[in-house]
Amino acid sequence: MKRTILFFLTLLICHYCAIGQTKDRDLTIGKSTTLHSNILNEDRKINIYLPDNYGENDKLTYPVVYVLDGGIEEDFFHIAGIVRFDTQPWIARFPNSIVVGIEGNTRRRDFTFAVPDINFLEKEGFQKASFPTYGGSQKYIAFLKDELLPYISKHYKAKAERTVIGESLAGLFSAELLLKQPDLFDNYIIISPSLWWGQQELLKNTEKLLTANLRKKVRVYLGVPNKDEDLRMYQDAVAFYDILRNNKKMEVIFDYMPDELHSTVIHQGVYNAFRKLYQKTVYSR
């Protein structure tokens, strides 16, 4: 009898010991790779989120969302999270998508177009020393067009449908892409763009550039934070919207977010952009 009781006690102890044991494993939401750019003459870190059930050998292809400030310490994680949320089967706001984050370690150089001088910076509240390099957007556009986009198309199961997301200086660059190379993307999510760069040169040439370059229909989300923080940036964004919305090849959404600041607007802006660009979910169809 004692032996029987001891046997069952031993089994019970082993059971609870097994329950108490844990197995740790890494939590992985994507992968990072280094792409050498001959155009930029440097290596660029690229972060990639792949949808659930992504298979190398299946026949499915996926739209691609490009995040300009897409480093691990920038916007990659939370935007990949928004995409994952919106593509869950009980929401299905838009199809499962690949997210590509480009680390923006030289953003003041990459996201600004060439200007003859930077004397205007002090009027905008910046010291010239804070822009040791600038004016590299033409090369960066070439890097996207001729190196990164073909790389993603070659190595991943990417559809031709593409979205680009940029905020602040990356918003300026997204606006420049829209005006100068609109065929590169189908959806442009532009948040709090720094249209003041170059004394508003891009804004002043918006209509002319659209007339010269826009050949297909595109969709644009333009989100801006509280105007009381920076009235001029808000007014520039409104002026930009007023020009864009008169173009028949463009669907444009303007989103004013008074509860957000320039420093906080990116997350809410991207969430709103997907909600407004893709208005129906699986249960609202």
Side-chain angles (χ1 to χ4, degrees):
M1 182 69 177
K2 290 182 179 179
R3 289 182 180 180
T4 303
I5 293 173
L6 182 61
F7 172 76
F8 282 108
L9 283 174
T10 303
L11 286 178
L12 190 64
I13 291 170
C14 290
H15 172 72
Y16 281 104
C17 286
I19 291 176
Q21 292 175 352
T22 60
K23 291 184 179 181
D24 293 337
R25 62 173 184 167
D26 291 337
L27 180 63
T28 304
I29 73 158
K31 59 175 68 177
S32 290
T33 188
T34 300
L35 175 64
H36 180 75
S37 169
N38 292 322
I39 293 171
L40 300 175
N41 193 30
E42 64 188 15
D43 291 339
R44 297 308 298 251
K45 189 173 182 180
I46 310 298
N47 300 306
I48 301 164
Y49 161 82
L50 298 174
D52 285 346
N53 301 319
Y54 178 94
E56 297 291 344
N57 298 318
D58 63 35
K59 295 181 180 180
L60 293 176
T61 55
Y62 302 89
V64 186
V65 177
Y66 288 84
V67 185
L68 293 174
D69 285 316
I72 298 299
E73 303 299 328
E74 296 174 303
D75 300 325
F76 176 73
F77 278 127
H78 71 89
I79 291 180
I82 295 172
V83 171
R84 180 178 174 81
F85 171 79
D86 274 323
T87 56
Q88 293 299 294
W90 56 88
I91 298 174
R93 189 177 297 281
F94 52 88
N96 283 327
S97 301
I98 299 168
V99 180
V100 176
I102 315 151
E103 194 161 294
N105 53 316
T106 51
R107 63 195 309 274
R108 293 190 172 185
R109 179 200 73 186
D110 296 333
F111 298 156
T112 57
F113 51 83
V115 290
D117 61 67
I118 53 174
N119 293 330
F120 62 87
L121 281 178
E122 293 180 358
K123 184 176 67 174
E124 302 296 342
F126 296 95
Q127 295 183 350
K128 291 182 182 180
S130 66
F131 280 78
T133 57
Y134 60 89
S137 68
Q138 186 173 349
K139 275 191 172 183
Y140 201 71
I141 290 173
F143 159 67
L144 290 180
K145 180 180 178 181
D146 298 329
E147 293 181 328
L148 180 60
L149 269 59
Y151 173 85
I152 295 298
S153 295
K154 179 179 178 180
H155 291 88
Y156 296 92
K157 302 178 73 61
K159 279 186 177 178
E161 182 182 350
R162 305 185 189 112
T163 298
V164 65
I165 298 174
E167 185 261 348
S168 192
L169 282 178
L172 170 72
F173 181 77
S174 299
E176 185 179 2
L177 278 173
L178 171 65
L179 301 180
K180 296 180 179 179
Q181 293 281 340
D183 292 347
L184 286 184
F185 297 92
D186 303 279
N187 305 299
Y188 291 80
I189 297 177
I190 302 171
I191 301 172
S192 196
S194 300
L195 294 169
W196 51 264
W197 176 262
Q199 301 180 85
Q200 303 171 297
E201 180 183 328
L202 193 66
L203 177 60
K204 293 172 184 176
N205 289 296
T206 292
E207 190 168 2
K208 180 176 70 175
L209 289 168
L210 282 178
T211 300
N213 298 319
L214 186 59
R215 294 179 292 275
K216 71 170 190 178
K217 289 189 176 182
V218 296
R219 299 194 299 170
V220 181
Y221 166 91
L222 179 59
V224 293
N226 194 301
K227 62 183 178 182
D228 293 333
E229 181 188 23
D230 192 324
L231 182 59
R232 187 179 177 190
M233 282 191 73
Y234 170 81
Q235 291 173 335
D236 285 350
V238 170
F240 189 52
Y241 168 68
D242 285 340
I243 299 171
L244 297 183
R245 67 176 176 170
N246 289 321
N247 193 294
K248 294 180 179 180
K249 292 182 180 178
M250 196 174 292
E251 175 191 339
V252 189
I253 297 166
F254 184 82
D255 186 18
Y256 177 54
M257 292 167 279
D259 294 331
E260 303 297 335
L261 301 175
H262 188 75
S263 59
T264 66
V265 71
I266 176 69
H267 188 93
Q268 189 63 53
V270 173
Y271 180 83
N272 288 358
F274 287 136
R275 181 168 57 86
K276 291 173 182 292
L277 290 170
Y278 305 93
Q279 297 181 13
K280 294 183 179 181
T281 66
V282 68
Y283 287 112
S284 59
R285 291 173 182 166

